[in-house]
Amino acid sequence: MTSNSHFYEKAIRDIYDAIAQEQSVRTLNTQYPATIQGKTSVHAADIYWEFTDGDIIYKTVIQAKETVTLGELFSLVRIIRDIPGQTTGVLITQPVYKKDIKEMAANAGIILYELLEPSGQDLWEPVVDNIQINVDKEWVKKEKERVGLGDEQVQISANPKYSFIYDENGNLVDSVQGIFDSYSRKHRSAGTERRTVIHEFPAPAFLQTHHELVPFIKLENITFDFALVNVNELSGEEMVKYILGNIFKYFGQ
């Protein structure tokens, strides 16, 4: 067994231990290692976690893989689709650079938790979560009235990687992910203290909507939580909070 295997197996144990201490949700069932009865067959996994936020029951299948192939991704997709209810998957793995795997995982409800094997020195990585893209509600109201939309919703992309920012002339000027990356570069020596960032725009800024009548929507600001985390000392509690945040984001909570 490689040293990488031991590292990812330890991450699984740390996550399992942290689940028992998590207070923001109520755990209904947790197994490690797990044997899960699906609709059509029985499945094996590293961890099975069933919990509720008080309203909805969520089911999560967590696996550790040194590398993720399309075949392994398809296997996890089959498992989560065989488990009825609000079910997601988590793959603890090395950084994934293949676009098709990332896109398939995102569309299938699989969280890729990418970890680097510890090196001999501290390795700091930015963590961004609790993202809120806030639109100018008064501007939106007036624009919808102008084109006769009434109460119809105008949707924007929920994925920061595909949320592009334009100026009032329709010129592409940035992306939501670009804002996160810029902030990360500026604060790489700021330590691990968690902070809430409110990003204001110096000039009118818009997101594309792909709506025929309202192709762009004006932004007010973007808020997010930011911290620099030493990946060599990443705790199970931090991993569980990241997983929870992404589960709720996937289901629109």
Side-chain angles (χ1 to χ4, degrees):
M1 187 176 293
T2 68
S3 61
N4 276 9
S5 296
H6 288 298
F7 172 62
Y8 294 105
E9 287 180 358
K10 181 180 183 302
I12 285 290
R13 291 194 299 271
D14 289 345
I15 288 170
Y16 178 75
D17 291 341
I19 286 172
Q21 306 301 320
E22 181 58 43
Q23 300 295 315
S24 65
V25 296
R26 181 164 63 90
T27 294
L28 304 175
N29 181 14
T30 182
Q31 299 177 36
Y32 165 63
T35 301
I36 314 158
Q37 178 63 61
K39 292 180 290 186
T40 63
S41 59
V42 176
H43 307 284
D46 291 323
I47 294 176
Y48 175 68
W49 183 22
E50 189 173 306
F51 63 89
T52 180
D53 60 359
D55 297 316
I56 300 171
I57 293 176
Y58 299 90
K59 302 173 183 180
T60 306
V61 179
I62 304 175
Q63 299 271 48
K65 300 288 182 182
E66 286 185 55
T67 58
V68 177
T69 64
L70 285 174
E72 288 166 341
L73 198 57
F74 278 127
S75 294
L76 185 51
V77 170
R78 284 193 293 269
I79 293 174
I80 66 175
R81 289 182 176 171
D82 195 43
I83 300 171
Q86 305 277 68
T87 307
T88 53
V90 178
L91 276 172
I92 312 296
T93 186
Q94 295 182 61
V96 178
Y97 301 106
K98 293 184 177 179
K99 184 179 178 183
D100 55 348
I101 289 180
K102 281 184 171 289
E103 290 181 347
M104 182 184 300
N107 292 332
I110 294 175
I111 300 161
L112 296 177
Y113 200 119
E114 301 167 73
L115 291 175
L116 286 170
E117 186 182 14
S119 60
Q121 58 186 9
D122 289 344
L123 182 62
W124 299 92
E125 290 292 338
V127 173
V128 174
D129 55 16
N130 294 330
I131 302 161
Q132 294 289 332
I133 299 176
N134 302 309
V135 302
D136 185 331
K137 294 180 180 178
E138 190 60 31
W139 183 94
V140 173
K141 179 182 178 182
K142 290 180 179 178
E143 187 66 10
K144 287 168 67 176
E145 290 174 351
R146 185 182 69 81
V147 298
L149 277 185
D151 294 331
E152 183 179 334
Q153 295 294 313
V154 178
Q155 299 293 329
I156 59 176
S157 173
N159 189 332
K161 290 185 180 295
Y162 305 109
S163 298
F164 299 101
I165 298 171
Y166 299 80
D167 64 17
E168 54 192 343
N169 297 316
N171 299 311
L172 179 64
V173 295
D174 206 340
S175 69
V176 174
Q177 185 64 47
I179 291 171
F180 300 156
D181 293 343
S182 174
Y183 195 88
S184 299
R185 287 193 296 271
K186 292 176 183 176
H187 295 81
R188 280 199 174 275
S189 61
T192 58
E193 182 180 354
R194 190 178 185 86
R195 71 203 69 190
T196 297
V197 177
I198 302 176
H199 180 83
E200 304 282 357
F201 295 96
F206 300 81
L207 281 184
Q208 195 171 28
T209 67
H210 304 294
H211 192 286
E212 184 178 0
L213 297 178
V214 185
F216 295 94
I217 197 165
K218 189 177 181 183
L219 294 172
E220 185 168 307
N221 58 50
I222 297 175
T223 67
F224 55 94
D225 288 346
F226 172 88
L228 284 172
V229 175
N230 185 348
V231 298
N232 289 349
E233 298 178 354
L234 199 61
S235 72
E237 289 80 3
E238 289 167 328
M239 289 188 278
V240 166
K241 288 188 183 303
Y242 178 89
I243 290 168
L244 277 174
N246 279 273
I247 290 171
F248 291 141
K249 186 190 303 180
Y250 178 76
F251 288 114
Q253 300 299 313

